Amino acid sequence: MSVWTIIRKNRKIVVYILSILILLVSLPLAISPHKESRCTFVMLIVASYWILEPVPIAVTALLPIVLFPMLGVANSSTICLTYMKESFMMFIGGLIVAIAVEDCKLHERIALKVLLLIGTEIKWLMMGFMMTTMVLSMWISNTATTAMMVPIVEAVVGKITMNANSEEIQLEERSSMTESKVYNLDEEGKSTEPNKIEDKSRCSVLKVAFLLSVCYSANIGGTGTLTGTGPNLVFKGMLEELHPESTEITFATWMMYNIPGMVLCVLIGWFYLWLVYIRCSKTNHNLQSKENIHGIISKRYDRLGPISNQERTVIVLFFILVLLWVFRDPKFIRGWSDVIGSDSKMGDSVAAIAVSFLLFYLPSNFRDLNSKPVLEWKTAQAKLPWGVILLLGGGFALAHGAEVSGLSKILGEKLTLLNVLPPGAVVAIICFMTAMLTEIASNTTTATILLPVLDQMALSIGVNPLYMMLPVSVVCSYAFMLPVATPPNAIAFENGNMNTLDMAYPGIVMNLICCAVQLFMLNTLGVVMFDIYDMPSWANYNGSTILPVNNITMGNLTSIESQLLNNTLLV
């Protein structure tokens, strides 16, 4: 039995031992007289527990509420406020609308209709699956999107294989009248027909290709909107926490920047999967019946029945929400929030909560006012990912603790050593390292750990914080290599009966492609939209090396504390 197998079988024991060792090694920081060291202790414990997961990551996210007040880093009332930011309410409102879409099966109706329209050739079917999954995952969770698309994929692949089998059986019956069948013997001496082996291979290759296309599109599609996935909200919230005067990132500007790159990644991914699994595959994929494939999709669509009043209401409210988000502050024209002329600033949470309220208030059937509402609270309560909200709050709590303790300034002082590298090289290295890290840690956890440090890194080397934070926020969603990286990967892995290499080899290529696309978008569209090559006024950067806070320098720390701080920075 290999060492890796033993570790996997005893994972919990290994995790507990490692978590205890990290706690013991970092204890000198906890008893230090300096706030910076005590804050480092909290960040080290929370970050390592997020990665190792001795307890659920949502539970670990609550530790700052206990540790920061106990260690004198920040008071409990201030820390608790970081767990409910304005961006969280936008996230909750968007999730409620997404739950309403799922509840009335509107997303399945849209997916099947697109597949009926796009064509039934294998390459166009794959394109249809990818584009549909991409668009849906912009608005509803990538897990729900993948779980909805996988049964459709299995039905289509099964129909293709069944049609191929029936045609080959007919050919075999005709040829059996003039020549005998040829059989091969397998390892156990049992007879095996070559055409059945080929059928199994064809089914396996097609299924893997289609399932990979769905999970890739689900992961990439979440980058298209601010509410699409957790790292986007982490970035938005961190920017508001660390630089309250910044106004560049709104729902509209995020979509204008990310949608072109999102579509480009999906198109390149489609071409890559088609080239490797279909065009250059040794198996024959030309035996499918287009009419039968169209028929199976039509049957699933007809099973949904005529569009209901509930679906119509959800469609209308969904488009109202999207329009309110896009035109609140679109930058290129005057937004509706400016037209109203309210004295207080209105964020994207206003529209999200207003539309969410209407979902619970309006009846599902306007002809019967006593009918149930469009969305019932028990449904929303069961499906809302409360753990993600706590995780986001824990990240903002750590960022606040690092700021008030002065740790962020010390990190900035140490990171000035990166001035020897061009900023573009630094960003490229960080993006590729992030793509590797997000394979073993959740994308939201990765963003929560990295973004505050990257903000200080940007300030320390004198570049726009968006230049570091924006691409990394997007790259956190580029997890294509391992089944444990994201729920869509796990769903595709299980349903396709894949081994790890089936996902890892194409996943490495997709990681490299998507990171390269993001760097290209950053240095083209990012320059035009956000002027990322120039230092903005809201960054509070004076062009000099960042000075220590509270008269504390690295020289005031003990050698053990200094070494632990350096090791934390390297990690």
Side-chain angles (χ1 to χ4, degrees):
M1 186 179 296
S2 65
V3 176
W4 176 245
T5 304
I6 296 174
I7 291 175
R8 283 200 305 172
K9 287 188 175 182
N10 300 278
R11 180 183 179 278
K12 284 191 175 181
I13 297 175
V14 174
V15 165
Y16 282 129
I17 293 174
L18 287 176
S19 59
I20 292 172
L21 287 176
I22 292 172
L23 180 64
L24 293 175
V25 170
S26 56
L27 272 179
L29 293 173
I31 60 177
S32 168
H34 306 302
K35 280 188 177 182
E36 295 89 339
S37 299
R38 299 197 296 272
C39 181
T40 302
F41 169 76
V42 177
M43 295 187 72
L44 187 61
I45 294 300
V46 173
S48 60
Y49 280 26
W50 270 340
I51 295 173
L52 295 173
E53 293 189 48
V55 296
I57 57 177
V59 178
T60 300
L62 296 173
L63 280 178
I65 299 177
V66 179
L67 297 178
F68 277 149
M70 286 183 61
L71 298 176
V73 176
N75 61 68
S76 58
S77 60
T78 304
I79 291 298
C80 287
L81 288 175
T82 63
Y83 283 79
M84 190 52 67
K85 295 287 186 180
E86 192 265 347
S87 57
F88 291 4
M89 301 310 296
M90 178 184 69
F91 185 49
I92 291 173
L95 286 174
I96 290 174
V97 175
I99 290 169
V101 172
E102 292 179 49
D103 186 52
C104 66
K105 297 188 182 299
L106 179 60
H107 62 319
E108 186 172 356
R109 185 182 297 277
I110 294 171
L112 293 172
K113 192 65 176 178
V114 171
L115 291 175
L116 287 172
L117 294 174
I118 203 165
T120 52
E121 291 185 25
I122 287 183
K123 62 180 178 180
W124 300 125
L125 271 175
M126 183 181 288
M127 170 70 79
F129 279 122
M130 295 187 76
M131 285 297 176
T132 304
T133 306
M134 177 194 74
V135 173
L136 290 176
S137 62
M138 290 170 61
W139 309 104
I140 65 178
S141 74
N142 53 16
T143 306
T145 303
T146 307
M148 184 268 297
M149 295 297 292
V150 163
I152 304 174
V153 168
E154 292 183 331
V156 170
V157 172
K159 178 62 68 174
I160 292 172
T161 309
M162 184 174 66
N163 292 334
N165 289 342
S166 63
E167 292 186 20
E168 289 184 357
I169 289 171
Q170 292 175 6
L171 291 173
E172 182 183 306
E173 289 176 348
R174 294 172 187 171
S175 62
S176 63
M177 299 175 63
T178 57
E179 59 183 23
S180 60
K181 297 180 184 178
V182 177
Y183 295 93
N184 290 335
L185 296 179
D186 63 9
E187 298 175 344
E188 300 176 358
K190 297 178 181 179
S191 62
T192 308
E193 299 180 27
N195 62 336
K196 289 187 177 180
I197 296 175
E198 185 182 347
D199 294 340
K200 186 176 180 181
S201 175
R202 181 190 304 113
C203 177
S204 177
V205 170
L206 276 177
K207 195 171 183 179
V208 168
F210 276 56
L211 289 174
L212 287 178
S213 71
V214 168
C215 71
Y216 290 170
S217 302
N219 292 330
I220 295 170
T223 64
T225 60
L226 273 176
T227 56
T229 188
N232 307 351
L233 267 296
V234 173
F235 169 66
K236 171 73 171 171
M238 288 291 181
L239 201 61
E240 293 174 351
E241 173 77 19
L242 301 172
H243 305 287
E245 297 179 0
S246 63
T247 59
E248 281 85 348
I249 302 300
T250 64
F251 200 91
T253 58
W254 179 274
M255 289 182 67
M256 286 188 287
Y257 172 75
N258 278 290
I259 285 181
M262 175 190 70
V263 174
L264 186 58
C265 285
V266 169
L267 289 176
I268 296 175
W270 165 75
F271 180 76
Y272 167 67
L273 291 174
W274 172 79
L275 187 66
V276 172
Y277 288 93
I278 311 299
R279 182 70 176 84
C280 298
S281 176
K282 295 180 180 179
T283 55
N284 179 18
H285 302 289
N286 297 319
L287 296 174
Q288 75 276 12
S289 171
K290 298 178 183 179
E291 293 77 12
N292 287 334
I293 296 173
H294 189 276
I296 193 172
I297 298 175
S298 297
K299 285 181 181 179
R300 294 184 71 94
Y301 185 81
D302 294 338
R303 204 179 301 162
L304 295 174
I307 188 168
S308 64
N309 292 321
Q310 182 184 12
E311 288 177 271
R312 291 191 181 95
T313 305
V314 171
I315 290 173
V316 172
L317 291 177
F318 173 78
F319 279 109
I320 289 174
L321 176 60
V322 173
L323 290 174
L324 289 175
W325 270 343
V326 171
F327 291 101
R328 180 188 67 83
D329 186 18
K331 301 299 181 182
F332 56 89
I333 60 173
R334 192 180 181 195
W336 60 264
S337 60
D338 295 327
V339 173
I340 293 176
S342 175
D343 292 336
S344 57
K345 180 183 177 182
M346 287 189 290
D348 291 319
S349 62
V350 175
I353 298 302
V355 172
S356 300
F357 177 82
L358 292 177
L359 286 170
F360 296 109
Y361 180 76
L362 296 176
S364 57
N365 187 357
F366 283 96
R367 295 179 181 178
D368 181 11
L369 297 180
N370 291 323
S371 61
K372 66 177 185 178
V374 177
L375 180 64
E376 295 182 293
W377 172 247
K378 63 181 181 181
T379 303
Q381 186 179 27
K383 292 186 176 182
L384 273 173
W386 302 106
V388 176
I389 297 171
L390 292 178
L391 177 59
L392 296 174
F396 296 147
L398 291 180
H400 178 78
E403 184 179 3
V404 299
S405 68
L407 175 62
S408 60
K409 300 297 182 181
I410 289 182
L411 290 177
E413 185 181 56
K414 299 292 288 184
L415 290 169
T416 53
L417 299 175
L418 293 172
N419 273 324
V420 297
L421 294 175
V426 175
V427 172
I429 293 170
I430 292 172
C431 283
F432 288 114
M433 290 179 63
T434 301
M436 296 299 105
L437 177 59
T438 195
E439 297 290 346
I440 59 174
S442 75
N443 52 11
T444 305
T445 299
T446 304
T448 303
I449 294 172
L450 292 180
L451 290 182
V453 178
L454 293 177
D455 176 71
Q456 288 302 316
M457 178 186 293
L459 295 178
S460 68
I461 62 178
V463 301
N464 191 328
L466 292 179
Y467 193 57
M468 296 284 181
M469 299 172 72
L470 181 57
V472 168
S473 303
V474 179
V475 169
C476 284
S477 298
Y478 294 160
F480 308 116
M481 290 173 54
L482 299 177
V484 297
T486 62
N489 291 11
I491 294 172
F493 183 83
E494 291 295 330
N495 285 272
N497 295 321
M498 306 180 201
N499 56 50
T500 305
L501 294 180
D502 290 334
M503 184 166 280
Y505 285 151
I508 293 173
V509 177
M510 283 298 297
N511 274 357
L512 295 174
I513 290 172
C514 291
C515 287
V517 169
Q518 182 54 216
L519 292 173
F520 171 75
M521 299 305 300
L522 179 70
N523 290 283
T524 53
L525 191 57
V527 175
V528 174
M529 291 186 60
F530 306 122
D531 195 20
I532 56 172
Y533 288 163
D534 296 327
M535 180 66 71
S537 58
W538 48 260
N540 298 322
Y541 177 73
N542 58 13
S544 59
T545 302
I546 299 176
L547 297 176
V549 176
N550 300 330
N551 296 322
I552 299 294
T553 66
M554 291 293 290
N556 297 125
L557 305 178
T558 66
S559 60
I560 296 178
E561 294 167 4
S562 180
Q563 185 61 42
L564 283 171
L565 282 171
N566 288 331
N567 292 339
T568 303
L569 181 57
L570 288 174
V571 172

